Amino acid sequence: MSNAETAALPFLPFARPDIGDAEVNAVAEAMRSGWVTTGPQTRAFEQAFTDYLGGGVDSLAVNSATAGLHLALEALGIGPGDEVIAPTLTFTATTEVVRYLGADPVLVDVDPVTLNMDPALVRAAITPRTKAIMPVHYGGLACDMDAILAIAQEYGLKVVEDAAHALPTTWRGTLVGQLASDVTVFSFYANKTITTGEGGMAVTRDPDLAKRMRVMRLHGMNRDAFDRFTSKTPAWYYEVVAPGFKYNMTDVAAAMGVQQLARLPAFVQRRQYLAQRYHAALAGLPLVLPAEAPAGDMHAWHLYVIRLAPGARLSRDVLVQGLSDLGIGTSVHYVPLHRHPYWRDRYQLTPEMFPQADAAYQAMVSIPLFTAMTVADQDRVIAALQTLLG
């Protein structure tokens, strides 16, 4: 493709939500119903999510995965003086919720192949103050949950999975959300595998945790608005039993979520297809391609993160600029937490403390992967990478 032809093409974004008429109509119906806050669509979405995971869990819709993580840690009693172990290669939401509660995150490095937290380093980071582990399923690839859950059991620790990338990811044939963790939290942000615009879902099989999170989701009230406003007898009275939060999902968002969840099997198939096309087309370039799921397991392919191999003739920043010049959007997942001023300065962190995550960061680029992208869109990305790196 010539430079003139490339210039004539529209900019290809890093991600774009796949929203169709079913979602638009469902949202319009929710708005016409009069229920625009938490109501019947939210209940329906929660039940559909539980059914998708296979039952046996309680699903709690929230207005962000960040809210879900906060609710989970609060329900588990995490507080001042406690420590929670998390990877440095994650979004700040994973650890900021620890600070909301006055506790301290303890960051660990990642495995150089999977970019997930290294269980051996988790074990080494445990102190008498450690109360929980927060594994992050990076890019949609499951962490070594056997190892993490075994460590948690050995030391009496809680496990809260940050599964923002991990719908539908499996570990040893079991869907993330059905593992033996205390709480698992999913994200429905705009670029995730399904979206509600903003939103998330906290999942647990512990009824006491579910009850506490449900109360704290809406101001610490012991009755939610849907119960009070649909009662056929006067039911205005409620009690505030704790200083809760405003973390409920709206019916407008949930209506979209119900439709997106129904499309998830097709979304997964499309992401798998696009990921395999990238694998085949990029194999000969000076790149480290993302790790695939073990045989028999599923990678959600929320992200497709390439890393420049040693000896590549371009730096990461030059590659990002080159792709932008060719009309292709990218991102970087992530600037590790140890490089951000707040985390760096508060905990005296240096790149040398996290050699694997830091090396990966300096070489990584997230390239477009979303279900609405066409084969022609993907071929543009492949051709651009071949031009810049070949």
Side-chain angles (χ1 to χ4, degrees):
M1 186 176 292
S2 68
N3 289 340
E5 289 173 318
T6 300
L9 292 170
F11 185 80
L12 179 66
F14 158 70
R16 182 191 301 128
D18 192 342
I19 297 170
D21 290 343
E23 289 88 343
V24 172
N25 293 337
V27 167
E29 184 177 342
M31 295 176 72
R32 292 190 188 103
S33 76
W35 274 103
V36 292
T37 184
T38 307
Q41 287 295 325
T42 304
R43 293 268 179 98
F45 186 30
E46 290 173 337
Q47 186 59 55
F49 202 82
T50 291
D51 293 343
Y52 179 84
L53 291 178
V57 296
D58 200 338
S59 298
L60 184 79
V62 288
N63 59 18
S64 70
T66 309
L69 292 170
H70 186 197
L71 289 172
L73 293 181
E74 196 279 339
L76 288 167
I78 304 300
D82 294 338
E83 292 178 345
V84 178
I85 299 173
T88 187
L89 191 62
T90 187
F91 186 56
T92 192
T94 307
T95 48
E96 72 188 19
V97 296
V98 179
R99 293 296 302 132
Y100 291 174
L101 296 164
D104 293 304
V106 175
L107 302 182
V108 298
D109 207 355
V110 297
D111 177 271
V113 175
T114 66
L115 301 183
N116 281 321
M117 67 193 312
D118 185 334
L121 297 177
V122 171
R123 181 182 292 276
I126 294 171
T127 76
R129 294 173 55 198
T130 306
K131 294 297 188 295
I133 306 170
M134 293 183 72
V136 177
H137 303 295
Y138 180 83
L141 178 64
C143 294
D144 183 345
M145 291 305 297
D146 286 356
I148 290 168
L149 289 168
I151 291 168
Q153 184 175 29
E154 180 181 348
Y155 289 89
L157 305 177
K158 303 300 184 181
V159 177
V160 175
E161 295 177 70
D162 182 336
H165 300 180
L167 183 68
T169 293
T170 63
W171 173 254
R172 302 289 194 229
T174 299
L175 277 169
V176 167
Q178 281 284 8
L179 299 170
S181 303
D182 294 276
V183 185
T184 304
V185 181
F186 297 90
S187 173
F188 309 135
Y189 183 65
N191 68 340
K192 296 301 191 293
T193 50
I194 68 169
T195 185
T196 57
E198 298 278 0
M201 194 76 75
V203 175
T204 183
R205 59 171 48 84
D206 184 326
D208 291 333
L209 292 178
K211 181 179 179 181
R212 177 66 177 184
M213 289 191 291
R214 188 161 277 111
V215 166
M216 295 301 284
R217 174 177 65 171
L218 193 62
H219 300 300
M221 300 190 309
N222 62 355
R223 297 191 67 189
D224 67 24
F226 184 66
D227 287 336
R228 289 185 289 118
F229 295 150
T230 58
S231 174
K232 297 188 185 306
T233 59
W236 55 268
Y237 185 76
Y238 63 88
E239 294 178 328
V240 173
V241 297
F245 313 107
K246 188 69 169 69
Y247 283 166
N248 56 305
M249 178 178 279
T250 69
D251 261 26
V252 174
M256 184 189 301
V258 170
Q259 300 303 318
Q260 286 270 294
L261 186 61
R263 298 175 66 193
L264 182 56
F267 287 167
V268 173
Q269 186 176 23
R270 184 65 177 173
R271 285 180 178 273
Q272 298 282 344
Y273 172 72
L274 293 171
Q276 293 305 318
R277 288 192 88 242
Y278 271 145
H279 289 338
L282 303 179
L285 296 178
L287 294 171
V288 177
L289 301 182
E292 297 192 66
D297 270 323
M298 184 179 297
H299 192 314
W301 292 114
H302 163 54
L303 300 175
Y304 195 92
V305 180
I306 59 174
R307 286 179 275 169
L308 289 166
R313 61 190 180 90
L314 299 180
S315 69
R316 188 271 310 283
D317 292 354
V318 171
L319 178 60
V320 167
Q321 185 60 56
L323 290 169
S324 180
D325 292 343
L326 293 171
I328 295 166
T330 59
S331 190
V332 173
H333 294 88
Y334 295 92
V335 179
L337 297 183
H338 66 262
R339 282 181 168 259
H340 288 287
Y342 175 78
W343 303 112
R344 180 195 65 208
D345 297 345
R346 181 175 182 86
Y347 296 106
Q348 295 83 53
L349 305 176
T350 66
E352 292 73 24
M353 297 166 68
F354 309 94
Q356 302 299 342
D358 209 74
Y361 158 65
Q362 295 184 66
M364 67 170 49
V365 182
S366 299
I367 58 177
L369 178 66
F370 53 94
T371 58
M373 75 185 296
T374 65
V375 167
D377 290 334
Q378 189 178 35
D379 285 343
R380 280 181 62 192
V381 180
I382 293 166
L385 287 167
Q386 290 171 337
T387 297
L388 293 166
L389 294 172

